[in-house]
Amino acid sequence: MLFRQLFDSETSTYTYLIADLTTKDAILVDPVKEQVDRDRKLIEELGLTLQYCLETHIHADHVTGTAQLRQLTQCQGVVPQNASATCADRFLGDGEVLMVGSVEIVAIATPGHTDSHNAYWVNRDRVLTGDSLLIRGCGRTDFQSGDAGTLFDSITQKLFSLPDATLVYPSHDYRGHTVSTIGEEKQWNPRLANRDRASFIELMNNLNLPDPKKIMEAVPANERCGKVAIKA
């Protein structure tokens, strides 16, 4: 398996390129519109065929590159079940499997940051956690039908049930971290370690964070799989 972690510095977004090195089938997870040229060039250089663009959720901080990549490569756009993106080619529910060559990607429903959110368990040794579980943090729950209690349940009951050695790759990092493990986050994540559900909800409901700078553009565009509305 080929596994590459790519970064967008403006939004601190990680995009993941995963491929079967035998079949050359590939998938991009959480592509960023401004990085489409970079991602396409890398795929071409490595001799890969992009089969899917896969989203963890409808993002509020960047516009997805799925629309452009779908037009350029004829790949399919895939989103979590019940995501408000009718333009998608496929919707993945909890426990459903997406195969990329011999690479197995299992969807794990992890709502809470938004009401439709998946993590993706890749070949049973690493998990792409989206905006649910971050390295020493977690996604906010104060917009897009987020719910702190639901997020706590998703992380503690779903993600923390994976083996401790499972590698954790989030959709964002703002402090320079690239990877963690489930065991590390159980022990050292300040929002979750030694915290019960009630105290987590209280913490999350009082973060008072500013809205993402691109929220007014990103959410409606991502509901159209990355097509930005043309202003009259």
Side-chain angles (χ1 to χ4, degrees):
M1 178 177 69
L2 178 142
F3 185 88
R4 296 287 175 86
Q5 183 183 52
L6 307 166
F7 189 63
D8 177 65
S9 59
E10 182 182 358
T11 60
S12 298
T13 299
Y14 285 126
T15 296
Y16 296 93
L17 173 63
I18 304 169
D20 180 320
L21 288 170
T22 301
T23 67
K24 299 295 187 178
D25 292 330
I27 186 170
L28 276 173
V29 182
D30 290 338
V32 176
K33 180 175 179 287
E34 287 78 9
Q35 300 294 346
V36 164
D37 289 343
R38 175 202 67 185
D39 297 347
R40 187 189 184 199
K41 181 181 179 183
L42 179 59
I43 288 166
E44 290 176 348
E45 288 174 346
L46 296 176
L48 306 175
T49 300
L50 186 64
Q51 301 289 351
Y52 304 104
C53 283
L54 176 63
E55 306 288 352
T56 54
H57 63 294
I58 301 297
H59 299 272
D61 48 19
H62 70 268
V63 175
T64 178
T66 292
Q68 287 186 36
L69 286 162
R70 192 161 58 174
Q71 184 176 15
L72 291 167
T73 69
Q74 286 72 58
C75 69
Q76 291 191 343
V78 185
V79 300
Q81 193 172 54
N82 300 320
S84 54
T86 57
C87 52
D89 299 292
R90 183 170 173 181
F91 295 81
L92 277 186
D94 188 41
E96 289 193 68
V97 177
L98 188 65
M99 297 300 299
V100 182
S102 63
V103 178
E104 181 187 67
I105 300 175
V106 181
I108 303 174
T110 49
H113 171 64
T114 64
D115 59 0
S116 178
H117 187 292
N118 281 345
Y120 297 109
W121 194 20
V122 181
N123 273 359
R124 299 181 184 271
D125 71 353
R126 66 199 65 196
V127 61
L128 310 183
T129 54
D131 282 20
S132 55
L133 179 64
L134 304 179
I135 298 173
R136 307 302 191 265
C138 65
R140 60 195 293 178
T141 57
D142 56 339
F143 57 76
Q144 284 185 278
S145 302
D147 182 86
T150 300
L151 181 60
F152 183 85
D153 296 340
S154 292
I155 294 172
T156 59
Q157 296 175 20
K158 294 283 194 71
L159 297 178
F160 282 0
S161 69
L162 297 175
D164 283 354
T166 304
L167 298 171
V168 171
Y169 288 97
S171 286
H172 297 282
D173 189 83
Y174 306 97
R175 296 185 295 271
H177 298 291
T178 57
V179 62
S180 180
T181 68
I182 291 294
E184 276 186 48
E185 295 310 312
K186 284 180 180 177
Q187 184 175 5
W188 298 112
N189 193 305
R191 291 190 179 176
L192 294 151
N194 302 311
R195 191 182 295 277
D196 62 18
R197 192 175 191 270
S199 63
F200 178 82
I201 292 171
E202 182 180 8
L203 171 70
M204 297 302 293
N205 287 347
N206 289 282
L207 291 179
N208 298 316
L209 298 171
D211 285 345
K213 285 186 279 188
K214 293 189 175 183
I215 187 171
M216 299 306 291
E217 172 192 9
V219 171
N222 290 333
E223 289 176 342
R224 295 188 296 270
C225 296
K227 290 186 178 180
V228 179
I230 300 174
K231 296 180 180 178

